[in-house]
């Protein structure tokens, strides 16, 4: 087993070349790499007879790695597009024959439809001689969708091409095949058709006036077919559920007392709007359909930035007695007053910290009924300095909360250091290791 701490710090969080299968179907900037999960599978001695849970599973890195090692796992995720990605990436039962057949139809019909709308693409390399029929399609975003999609995230012509392709995918009858294609489309809009990049915030790049989409789509689906055709056997069972980790035990009522290990990474208290990171694909795939839908999604997430704090929030009530948290919140608010910062967002900074740790308190408390005696838990969390450069030692505070809920703290292991954008200081990302 490779010691992950021997990997150069600057690339420690990157997916290694040999780990692309299934993982590369769709990944996002918030994810951790498969070798981190592998390290804890080894360190904890996780075996096929064990059950692993990732309550903030994002794009399913933990679950894919467990599946590859024939270990059963559960995943919970509140963001619908990440939930969707995890589910599709861990469904290895889709017959390759069905995929190939529908694939040919989608390529043919979208090729013909693109041509009909004056956007022809050269697909002669992979389309069979019979020509597809152009579909009667609308291929437009609704006004509500436009309201939540930042205008510069994708240029009009690539968007039109993507929507025509999506309309053709939507006609695929088999649900698992259709979902596989839609995940490829999500990958395509972010990594090819859109004008977005991540660093780590999502930002807009030079607009692409036009890009062809079929060739990229073809290569993505071809890779999926190849992964499914060469999957490890046997592979673990996986169950991914859409829900809020602050109520995690409610989502797995049949697994009470059964979970042996947690390997996870929750959000960190910073100014990152997690819904913006996935906004482009969420809107195009229809997971976020307007302002109301966006708010509902934000309400499901742990409070971690000023864009998802609401007047009705009460998570802070759970951590009132924690001096360490109150002290940080006070320091942030004092600095704001001293610096004469008066924007609505800045006034929320101190509240974010309280609601964040209150939410994590609820999560750790809700986890207890699911855990087997002596279960071990690994939480990857970063220290933060986003709020007027106030240092938030995330792992240390979570350890304090966990102890108050009668977990044992085994250790806090340094995973890597990162350059804090605001301060240009290297700050720690740690793994908090707990025992039930
Ligand atoms: C750091 S990311 C995890 C990434 C994951 N390890 C991966 O490799 O893709 C944290 C995830 O927690 C999710 N999340 C935030 N609040 C949540 C909540 N209350 N319940 C469940 N998931 C939540 C976010 O949507 C995000 O996908």
């Amino acid at each position: 087993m490779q010691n992950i701490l021997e990997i150069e710090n600057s690339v420690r969080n990157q997916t290694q070349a040999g780990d692309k299968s299934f993982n590369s179907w769709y990944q996002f900037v918030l994810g951790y790499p498969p070798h981190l999960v592998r390290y804890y599978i080894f360190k904890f001695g996780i075996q096929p007879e064990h059950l692993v849970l990732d309550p903030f599973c994002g794009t399913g890195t933990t679950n894919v790695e467990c599946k590859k090692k024939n270990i059963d796992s559960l995943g919970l995720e509140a963001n619908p597009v990440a939930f969707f990605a995890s589910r599709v990436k861990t469904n290895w039962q889709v017959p390759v024959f069905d995929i190939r057949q529908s694939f040919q139809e989608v390529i043919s019909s979208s090729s013909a439809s693109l041509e009909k709308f004056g956007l022809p693409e050269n697909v002669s390399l992979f389309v069979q001689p019979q020509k597809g029929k152009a579909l009667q399609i609308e291929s437009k975003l609704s006004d509500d969708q436009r309201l939540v999609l930042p205008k510069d995230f994708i240029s009009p012509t690539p968007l039109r091409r993507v929507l025509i392709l999506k309309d053709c995918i939507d006609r695929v009858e088999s649900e698992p095949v259709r979902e596989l294609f839609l995940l490829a489309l999500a990958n395509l809009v972010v990594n090819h058709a859109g004008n977005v990049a991540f660093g780590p915030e999502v930002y807009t790049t030079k607009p692409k006036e036009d890009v062809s989409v079929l060739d990229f789509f073809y290569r993505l689906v071809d890779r999926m077919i190849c992964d499914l055709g060469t999957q490890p056997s046997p592979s673990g069972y996986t169950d991914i559920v859409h829900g809020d980790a602050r109520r995690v035990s409610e989502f797995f009522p049949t697994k009470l007392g059964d979970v042996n290990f947690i390997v996870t990474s929750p959000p960190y208290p910073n100014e990152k709007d997690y819904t913006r990171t996935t906004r482009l694909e969420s809107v195009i795939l229809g997971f976020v359909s307007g302002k109301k839908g966006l708010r509902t999604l934000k309400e499901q997430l742990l409070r971690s930035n000023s864009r998802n704090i609401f007047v009705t929030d009460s998570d802070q009530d759970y951590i009132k007695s924690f001096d360490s948290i109150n002290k940080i919140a006070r320091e942030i608010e004092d600095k704001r007053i001293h610096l004469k910062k008066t924007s609505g967002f800045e006034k929320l900074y101190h509240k974010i910290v309280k609601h964040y740790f209150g939410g994590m308190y609820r999560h750790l408390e809700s986890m207890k009924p699911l855990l087997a005696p002596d279960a071990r838990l690994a939480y990857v969390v970063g220290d933060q300095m986003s709020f007027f450069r106030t240092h938030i030692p995330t792992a240390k505070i979570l350890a304090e909360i966990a102890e108050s809920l009668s977990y044992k703290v085994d250790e806090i292991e340094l995973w890597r250091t990162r350059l804090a954008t605001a301060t240009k200081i290297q700050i720690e990302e740690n793994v908090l290791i707990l025992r039930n």
Side-chain angles (χ1 to χ4, degrees), residues 22 25-26 28 54 56-64 67 74-77 79-92 183 238-241:
F22 297 98
W25 290 13
Y26 173 93
F28 63 9
D54 184 343
F56 300 93
C57 71
T59 60
T61 312
T62 301
N63 307 92
V64 167
K67 201 168 181 69
L74 310 171
L76 187 70
E77 170 57 49
N79 180 337
V81 80
F83 155 71
F84 174 75
S86 295
R87 201 158 50 83
V88 175
K89 283 165 75 176
T90 52
N91 179 5
W92 297 0
L183 188 63
T238 316
D239 186 16
I240 309 281
V241 176

Side-chain angles (χ1 to χ4, degrees), residues 230-403:
T230 55
Q231 60 180 278
S233 177
S235 61
Y237 155 89
T238 316
D239 186 16
I240 309 281
V241 176
H242 183 217
D244 183 342
R246 291 170 295 181
R247 299 186 287 114
V248 56
S249 57
E250 292 173 29
F251 296 96
F252 301 104
T254 60
K255 301 290 178 192
L256 301 183
D258 287 349
V259 174
N260 305 101
F261 296 97
I262 305 289
V263 180
T264 195
S265 176
Y268 312 154
N270 56 23
E271 260 306 79
K272 228 181 266 172
D273 177 355
Y274 281 67
T275 67
R276 204 174 153 84
T277 311
T278 54
R279 188 76 55 86
L280 179 58
E281 62 275 41
S282 296
V283 172
I284 288 179
L285 265 65
F287 288 117
V288 171
S289 50
K291 285 198 164 167
K292 213 166 142 221
L294 184 59
R295 179 174 168 134
T296 309
L297 161 58
K298 288 182 175 185
E299 282 171 348
Q300 295 248 315
L301 301 179
L302 266 183
R303 304 300 183 258
S304 62
N305 67 85
S306 54
R307 266 73 177 173
N308 78 344
I309 297 281
F310 304 100
V311 277
T312 48
D313 284 346
S314 57
D315 283 354
Q316 65 176 2
D317 294 350
Y318 292 79
I319 48 81
K320 275 189 175 145
S321 61
F322 287 82
D323 291 342
S324 52
I325 303 169
N326 291 328
K327 191 166 162 261
I328 290 171
R330 212 164 31 244
E331 189 181 328
I332 291 172
E333 183 61 353
D334 286 350
K335 280 187 188 167
R336 181 189 71 78
I337 293 165
H338 177 73
L339 293 167
K340 300 192 170 50
K341 301 280 188 186
T342 54
S343 82
F345 295 123
E346 289 160 329
K347 285 182 180 167
L348 292 174
Y349 284 0
H350 69 291
K351 292 192 182 173
I352 299 169
V353 175
K354 291 187 183 177
H355 287 309
Y356 172 80
F357 286 111
M360 284 303 291
Y361 181 102
R362 288 179 61 196
H363 160 67
L364 286 168
E365 190 177 39
S366 171
M367 187 75 83
K368 277 264 161 177
L370 284 171
L371 297 175
D374 228 25
R376 296 186 78 190
L377 306 84
Y379 281 80
V380 182
V381 282
D383 285 3
Q384 292 299 321
M385 297 193 87
S386 308
F387 307 121
F388 308 124
R389 304 182 175 198
T390 309
H391 181 227
I392 306 175
T394 313
K396 215 168 135 230
I397 297 177
L398 287 179
E400 211 186 304
I401 292 173
E403 271 178 332

Side-chain angles (χ1 to χ4, degrees), residues 14-81:
Q14 289 173 12
T15 298
Q16 296 176 334
D19 280 333
K20 302 269 184 210
S21 70
F22 297 98
N23 288 303
S24 68
W25 290 13
Y26 173 93
Q27 285 177 300
F28 63 9
V29 66
L30 311 167
Y32 51 38
H35 59 259
L36 172 71
V37 180
R38 228 163 24 242
Y39 174 71
Y40 284 101
I41 288 178
F42 173 75
K43 180 170 171 137
F44 289 164
I46 305 177
Q47 301 293 327
E49 63 269 22
H50 291 133
L51 179 63
V52 174
L53 163 65
D54 184 343
F56 300 93
C57 71
T59 60
T61 312
T62 301
N63 307 92
V64 167
E65 208 49 36
C66 285
K67 201 168 181 69
K68 285 181 178 175
K69 299 219 166 315
N70 191 22
I71 296 163
D72 292 349
S73 76
L74 310 171
L76 187 70
E77 170 57 49
N79 180 337
V81 80

